[in-house]
Amino acid sequence: MAARGHVQDPNDRRLRPIYDYLDNGNNKMAIQQADKLLKKHKDLHCAKVLKAIGLQRTGKQDEAFTLAQEVTVLEPTDDNSLQALTILYREMHRPELVTKLYEAAVKKVPLSEEYHSHLFMAYARVGEYKKMQQAGMALYKIVPKNPYYFWSVMSLVMQAISAKDEKLAQTMFLPLAERMVEKMVKEEKIEAEAEVQLYFMILERLGKCDEALEVIRGPLGEKLTSELQSRERKCMMLYRRLERWPECNALAQKLLLKNPDDWQFYPSYFDSLFYLMDQPWSPPEEGEHCSEGSVHHTVAEVVRFVEERIKAEDGKDSRSLRGPYLARLELIHRLRERGYPEENLPGEPLDLMVQFFRMFGDKPCCITDLKIYLHLLAPDQHVQFINRLSELVPLGEQGEDGFTFPEDTKSLQRHLCVCQLSRALGLHHSLDVSGKLRLITELKAHYRHGLKFGSTALKTELQFSDMYCLMAAHVYIDLWTETGDEDMVWQGLGLLEEGLSHSSSNAQFKLLLLLLYCRLGAFEPVVDLYSSLDAKHIQHDTIGFLLTRYAESLGQFAAASQSCNFSLRFFHSNQKDTSEYIIQAYKYGAFEKIPEFIALRNRLNQSLHFAQVRTERMLLDLFLEADIVLSLEESVKAMSLSSEEDDIPWDSLRDNRDLTVFTNWDPKERQLTDEHRIRSLEEESMWLQIRSLTLRLLASLTASGHAPSRQNSEISNENGVGDKSSLLRSLLSQLNQTLQTAAQIAEKHVQYPLLGPPSTRLASALSIGSCQCQAAALQLSVHLQELESAGLDESMELQTQICYVFKSLVVQLQEMLNKCKGDLLEMKESKLKTQPFLLENLVFFVETVSVVLWTASYCAKILRPLKSSLQKKKKKKKDANTTLPLVVCGFQELTGSLQAILTHAVDHIRGQESGITAQRLASLSLEGTSQEEASFAKAAMDKVQGSYLRSLQEVGDLLKKRAETIKNLKI
């Protein structure tokens, strides 16, 4: 409530206690204090609004809204009430109501700068760009200040950006904005850098690059001072767009002479050279080459320029700059791409990279610098390259294992860089099993030796030797994936847990542990690991998939619900937060940031992860809470879920996942490819479509109600029942088509790198038959509507068909349960084996049982009145035949079979729980590990064992709940 401080109101003293209670989170006392004040001062509107804020924060939204509306209709103009209402409506996520508040206030107090300003910002929150333009100009007329004028101009630009018709933007909005700025330029009223930036933005969007260049190079450009080399960078960008390569080349030269380490100008320098060579271009015989100075248009000139920068660095006593040395490698890379003769290249890549290592090998950035140029080495040079680098690593101290270790952190960094480059060249991968085990021993020895250099480090600091530990874990993973020996993954987990005990803030340790536990089917330890990563803002979108992908599929329903809520809170706050960023950008004149904030908001609203989490959260709520159709109906209503509306923006879905979040030194042929990314997105989108359609079909199950009888078919079309029936058929058709496409995708069997995207649940769901069984169960609802329309006495063929579906569902569920059989965790020959796919199959079984039960409940709801009606008819006709209708007998068989299947499933889970509990992990022995290493590995095993038991307990509880539901399914 900080906005009240400047208000000089006679009631401020009376209101202060309420403000204080609200600020301190004591909402009940705030409400009581407001009530006391309102008894004495009934017309004190602000007290009523503050009471509404207290009610809103205690969950009484309806009461709060009613109170707020009572004040709003009075059109208050006191600042206290307006500010309080603004806060309330923002908390209610109703920013559009704030605009109405200030529209009324401005009408009553037309000359108030403050109210006009608040009105403009209220429009900004809801993106009313046209009204913002008008409000900005109205404000400028009252108080002729430049910022207000340019608020109006920027609002025109935003109308252009948001216009669906690009022609309208280019012919109306942007030209009008340009004229408005030109008017200020002619009148010499341009005052601030932000105004010049806005002018440049308008010209750039209009494609008037020549005019924009004149502005930047003219007197107005002198105002661009907030960023270093702002004018030069803008000129460079415009030269590139105008394809004025001589100027681009000359300007890049000048900038590199000033700062040879500024990498952003080297690509422009090299690009311009090759464009000039291709044209071809030759300098004029007299005078300057171009307006920016001399131009280098031959390879020889560029090589000489780069070599001169290197010589200048070699002659300096101060710290050397990496830029010129990397520029030489970049130039070789580009010349090779163009087929330039090898003998004319500016040096041998191997020698140049060794020279770079000699100079910069003790810096952590050396590996990332050299890694992107390793392709310049021939395959037969790899070993020679590593040997030459190893000669430059001073290793003096010899340990008990026979390994020699670095004596200081700089030597350690050099040795670590050589190890990382060896892995990046594939030398680690080419070793046999015994070679890899020797490598692991060496890496672990170097890791533990290096810990002494960080003995005094703070808990939040990383150890100097952490990368040895991470690399050893990667080699363990190689052995696990290549040999299938699970001892390797247990030792890898133990090593990472040991590393985390020494370096508790190492995000890479946590990420890799998180991945390995999930791959082993253990979600329980993952929750704390992800929480300790302390992901911030956009990271909930970029790395959140690592958590939400496995949460529900591994049977940890409570944690899954919590994980989804965690992600959704970020996405839901995005809309409000972005509006505040936009308002701040207007206030401080950061106009170029406003389109970026809008783009960020759109990026998050269109996020694939957002759509996935939203859909999975709603399905999860249904699986956990809804038992029978009535309960399902209540849950669907509480979610405001509509079967008619599909709110996922399929055409503009964005894959914002960061698939390179793991540190990875694998050679190029083992890394994630663009094809992997495309296939992963295809799978994720297809799985999302299946889940979304399933969710909408469940919603339509509650909305379809009773189908019309033949007599009432005409009436049904008027009340919409017929429409709902056709919607159900349409959704089922879409689901069946999607499943056919999904089966084709699953047949491709795309294998992703372990450190790449996790595979979706799609292939597993189709393999176990979960999707097919759910689709068959939901299809049953159409047959039931037809049966209700026809009646029991004239529908023998339809009843036979329904009974066949009943039997088919039982068979499919039994087959699914059979695929869940097996030991999740077992000990074979003193080795621990896991089968995490069995846990995922169990979860699919539970989900499918839930869908079948909802359909069965819907069936009971339809059959009950039909059976009653048939019995009444028989009584009237005095029909002595008491035989139950075929479909009723079939339904009774269905419920009996479902009860038996669920009993078997619960018994199987109990057996698994007993078997896992009986496993004595302490007796396990891991070959080649010390006692300390084994203790960390066994701690990891304990976590996996505990997680399995937790998952089985939650799955078992849900199945018992479903078994209770079946008992109530009677006609």
Side-chain angles (χ1 to χ4, degrees), residues 60 75 97 135 150 159 165 178 286 297 345 388 446 483 502 556 559 677 680 691 725 744-745 754 819 853 858 882 959:
K60 297 175 181 176
E75 299 183 349
L97 297 177
F150 283 93
Q159 285 179 71
D165 185 357
E178 183 190 12
E286 295 181 5
H297 64 289
L345 292 176
R388 286 185 61 181
H446 275 277
T483 66
H502 294 296
Q556 303 259 338
R677 292 174 184 274
S680 175
R691 301 294 273 183
S725 178
Q744 293 169 4
I745 291 172
L754 188 85
K819 290 177 182 177
L853 281 179
Y858 177 72
T882 58
L959 280 175

Side-chain angles (χ1 to χ4, degrees), residues 194-334:
E195 295 158 14
V196 180
Q197 292 273 21
L198 181 53
Y199 191 21
F200 175 79
M201 189 197 306
I202 294 165
L203 293 172
E204 187 187 4
R205 287 184 177 276
L206 280 167
K208 295 186 174 183
C209 295
D210 288 310
E211 290 87 339
L213 199 55
E214 285 178 26
V215 169
I216 298 302
R217 297 176 67 182
L220 289 177
E222 293 172 7
K223 294 184 183 292
L224 301 174
T225 56
S226 65
E227 292 181 41
L228 194 64
Q229 296 176 329
S230 176
R231 293 177 77 184
E232 291 84 350
R233 281 190 290 103
K234 282 182 166 56
C235 284
M236 184 75 76
M237 181 189 71
L238 292 168
Y239 285 144
R240 289 182 71 96
R241 286 185 64 175
L242 290 166
E243 298 186 0
R244 289 169 61 172
W245 301 115
E247 286 85 353
C248 184
N249 183 283
L251 179 58
Q253 275 183 67
K254 286 197 290 189
L255 293 167
L256 288 170
L257 280 169
K258 285 182 185 176
N259 184 1
D261 207 37
D262 197 335
W263 185 257
Q264 65 178 321
F265 299 121
Y266 279 109
S268 294
Y269 181 50
F270 295 145
D271 287 343
S272 60
L273 163 69
F274 296 125
Y275 278 113
L276 291 169
M277 287 171 64
D278 292 340
Q279 284 179 356
W281 181 87
S282 56
E285 294 179 6
E286 295 181 5
E288 288 284 345
H289 290 180
C290 68
S291 59
E292 293 288 355
S294 63
V295 178
H296 293 163
H297 64 289
T298 64
V299 173
E301 286 176 306
V302 170
V303 170
R304 188 168 59 250
F305 178 80
V306 173
E307 294 289 354
E308 284 171 358
R309 303 288 71 71
I310 290 172
K311 283 177 185 174
E313 287 304 306
D314 290 343
K316 279 167 52 177
D317 295 330
S318 58
R319 178 178 65 87
S320 295
L321 302 176
R322 292 153 39 228
Y325 296 93
L326 289 172
R328 185 164 54 182
L329 290 169
E330 176 67 18
L331 183 57
I332 291 172
H333 160 66
R334 291 185 179 223

Side-chain angles (χ1 to χ4, degrees), residues 9-19 33 37 41 80:
D9 191 290
N11 289 314
D12 196 41
R13 180 179 53 80
R14 299 186 184 113
L15 295 168
R16 189 171 298 281
I18 309 176
Y19 282 124
Q33 190 68 29
L37 193 56
H41 305 275
N80 276 343

Side-chain angles (χ1 to χ4, degrees), residues 501-564:
S501 70
H502 294 296
S503 189
S504 58
S505 296
N506 192 309
Q508 286 299 323
F509 288 169
K510 294 173 185 178
L511 285 167
L512 195 52
L513 278 168
L514 186 152
L515 178 69
L516 293 177
Y517 278 128
C518 284
R519 289 297 173 98
L520 289 171
F523 190 75
E524 197 170 41
V526 166
V527 178
D528 289 337
L529 281 169
Y530 186 83
S531 178
S532 68
L533 281 170
D534 197 19
K536 295 286 193 294
H537 200 259
I538 197 76
Q539 288 175 320
H540 292 301
D541 188 25
T542 56
I543 66 172
F545 71 95
L546 294 170
L547 189 70
T548 54
R549 156 64 183 88
Y550 295 101
E552 182 188 351
S553 64
L554 297 179
Q556 303 259 338
F557 302 122
S561 185
Q562 188 180 358
S563 303
C564 289

Side-chain angles (χ1 to χ4, degrees), residues 805-968:
V805 176
F806 287 161
K807 289 175 182 175
S808 171
L809 290 174
V810 171
V811 170
Q812 289 179 70
L813 284 173
Q814 186 60 59
E815 286 176 355
M816 286 181 69
L817 182 57
N818 292 339
K819 290 177 182 177
C820 300
K821 301 287 177 68
D823 290 322
L824 188 56
L825 186 73
E826 62 177 339
M827 208 179 295
K828 279 187 179 177
E829 300 170 1
S830 297
K831 288 194 173 185
L832 199 62
K833 295 279 185 184
T834 62
Q835 297 191 87
F837 71 91
L838 292 174
L839 192 54
E840 195 161 1
N841 285 356
L842 259 178
V843 174
F844 281 130
F845 175 75
V846 173
E847 289 183 358
T848 309
V849 163
S850 298
V851 173
V852 171
L853 281 179
W854 286 324
T855 310
S857 300
Y858 177 72
C859 185
K861 183 181 173 184
I862 297 289
L863 290 179
R864 222 170 273 129
L866 289 177
K867 181 186 172 188
S868 176
S869 174
L870 184 65
Q871 286 172 342
K872 286 177 183 176
K873 283 181 183 177
K874 284 185 177 182
K875 280 182 183 178
K876 282 182 182 177
K877 293 178 181 178
K878 299 183 180 178
D879 189 345
N881 184 7
T882 58
T883 308
L884 289 172
L886 182 63
V887 70
V888 175
C889 294
F891 181 78
Q892 289 175 345
E893 285 178 21
L894 171 69
T895 54
S897 300
L898 288 176
Q899 187 73 53
I901 288 172
L902 286 191
T903 303
H904 290 156
V906 171
D907 289 344
H908 167 66
I909 289 171
R910 281 178 186 154
Q912 284 292 299
E913 287 175 327
S914 302
I916 292 172
T917 306
Q919 300 286 1
R920 300 192 176 184
L921 304 184
S923 62
L924 280 172
S925 60
L926 295 168
E927 294 177 14
T929 58
S930 66
Q931 189 173 351
E932 185 185 7
E933 288 174 331
S935 68
F936 281 110
K938 284 173 183 173
M941 291 176 182
D942 288 338
K943 287 180 180 179
V944 172
Q945 183 186 35
S947 181
Y948 284 173
L949 289 171
R950 175 71 176 270
S951 296
L952 288 170
Q953 183 189 344
E954 291 201 30
V955 172
D957 289 347
L958 200 50
L959 280 175
K960 287 173 191 170
K961 194 175 172 184
R962 294 289 172 261
E964 287 298 317
T965 304
I966 295 176
K967 291 176 184 176
N968 300 323

Side-chain angles (χ1 to χ4, degrees), residues 62 144 211 391 420 508 582 623 728 757 780 802 875 877:
D62 293 339
E211 290 87 339
E391 292 169 6
Q420 291 170 311
Q508 286 299 323
I582 292 167
F623 292 136
L728 183 62
L780 193 58
I802 291 171
K875 280 182 183 178
K877 293 178 181 178

